[in-house]
Amino acid sequence: MATDALHHHVADALGRRIVEGTLPVGSAVSLASLEQEFRVSRTVAREAARLLESLGLMVARRRVGLIVADFEHWNVLSPRVIEWRLAGRGRNDQLKTLLDLRIAVEPTAARSAAEQASAEARERLIELASKLRDLGKRGLGQTPEYLRTDVDFHQTMLRASGNEMLAALDQVVEAVLIGRTRLGLSPAVPVAEVIDHHETTAKAIAAQMPEAAELYSRLLVTRVRAEFAL
């Protein structure tokens, strides 16, 4: 296994333990212990530690080693942290907070996209919504193709908003959709209302109707939230 893959493997293992709480806040971890447990070099152990530090999960202290940081320091918008949390026991809480974020963000992005999107982006959203309906009708809601299409739809809308802060959340939305699918939480036959709201949102954006785009996008994400009874 290449060095880069090795340090990601170590970081993934530790990251999951931290978000699960099996490696509690304040716990000390040394590079030597990582070398021994994972049978890796000091370089690999150090790179894994740096990755976890960059995500706010650990902090290095002289003469102590690596310390598990308080939750308030975590980069909770990191796709990697989102993935770890969705795979753990607290996945329902993580889904709830992520869906709340989407409810707060996506309707605003839809409204802005209706005002700012290029003709190409408007056409793309219509195409993607139509493809989602077709794949859904064929019971392919859990397939990689459906997932890619859904991710593309929401990322296109965020980027078409013309707001760089909203566009910067495109990787967060991707992580949510991918995580949900990997956990088997996406139905093979998507809920009809969810498909309908994708199409009405796309059509409102294409027609340059900001109020309608905001409304339908909000209905879309709140309906998704209701699926999980969160």
Side-chain angles (χ1 to χ4, degrees):
M1 189 180 293
T3 299
D4 188 57
L6 276 173
H7 91 257
H8 281 291
H9 169 71
V10 175
D12 281 339
L14 290 177
R16 293 178 193 278
R17 293 177 195 175
I18 292 171
V19 301
E20 278 281 295
T22 54
L23 195 58
V25 172
S27 298
V29 179
S30 68
L31 293 179
S33 70
L34 296 182
E35 291 177 62
Q36 182 176 7
E37 178 182 355
F38 295 98
R39 297 183 180 182
V40 295
S41 68
R42 177 59 60 98
T43 298
V44 169
R46 186 177 291 113
E47 287 303 310
R50 286 175 178 166
L51 176 54
L52 291 167
E53 286 183 78
S54 73
L55 297 174
L57 272 68
M58 303 193 88
V59 59
R61 292 182 182 168
R62 292 183 63 183
R63 293 189 292 273
V64 177
L66 299 162
I67 304 297
V68 176
D70 291 330
F71 173 76
E72 63 186 26
H73 298 298
W74 297 2
N75 180 359
V76 294
L77 292 179
S78 162
R80 190 178 293 269
V81 175
I82 289 171
E83 178 185 351
W84 292 336
R85 296 180 70 193
L86 284 176
R89 290 173 296 184
R91 74 180 187 185
N92 283 346
D93 288 338
Q94 173 71 147
L95 272 174
K96 178 182 182 298
T97 56
L98 289 168
L99 286 168
D100 283 347
L101 175 64
R102 290 183 62 192
I103 289 171
V105 167
E106 291 194 34
T108 299
R111 183 185 185 93
S112 295
E115 299 170 334
Q116 303 290 336
S118 65
E120 181 182 5
R122 296 176 197 277
E123 182 179 350
R124 180 62 174 160
L125 287 168
I126 293 291
E127 292 174 354
L128 291 168
S130 178
K131 186 175 181 179
L132 285 173
R133 180 174 291 282
D134 177 62
L135 292 170
K137 282 182 178 178
R138 291 190 280 144
L140 301 176
Q142 294 176 332
T143 63
E145 185 177 9
Y146 186 94
L147 174 60
R148 285 194 301 271
T149 305
D150 199 18
V151 168
D152 197 358
F153 179 92
H154 292 280
Q155 289 189 328
T156 298
M157 186 178 71
L158 288 168
R159 294 166 183 166
S161 69
N163 183 315
E164 73 280 5
M165 302 300 286
L166 296 176
L169 293 172
D170 62 348
Q171 298 301 308
V172 174
V173 171
E174 179 180 21
V176 176
L177 296 173
I178 290 175
R180 190 182 71 186
T181 300
R182 285 179 178 171
L183 291 169
L185 300 176
S186 297
V189 179
V191 176
E193 286 178 77
V194 172
I195 296 297
D196 290 343
H197 294 326
H198 275 88
E199 286 196 326
T200 51
T201 299
K203 289 177 180 177
I205 291 173
Q208 298 180 289
M209 300 171 62
E211 291 83 4
E214 181 178 7
L215 170 64
Y216 291 128
S217 177
R218 190 176 304 281
L219 288 172
L220 165 58
V221 189
T222 52
R223 184 63 184 84
V224 170
R225 192 179 191 281
E227 280 185 61
F228 300 102
L230 299 174

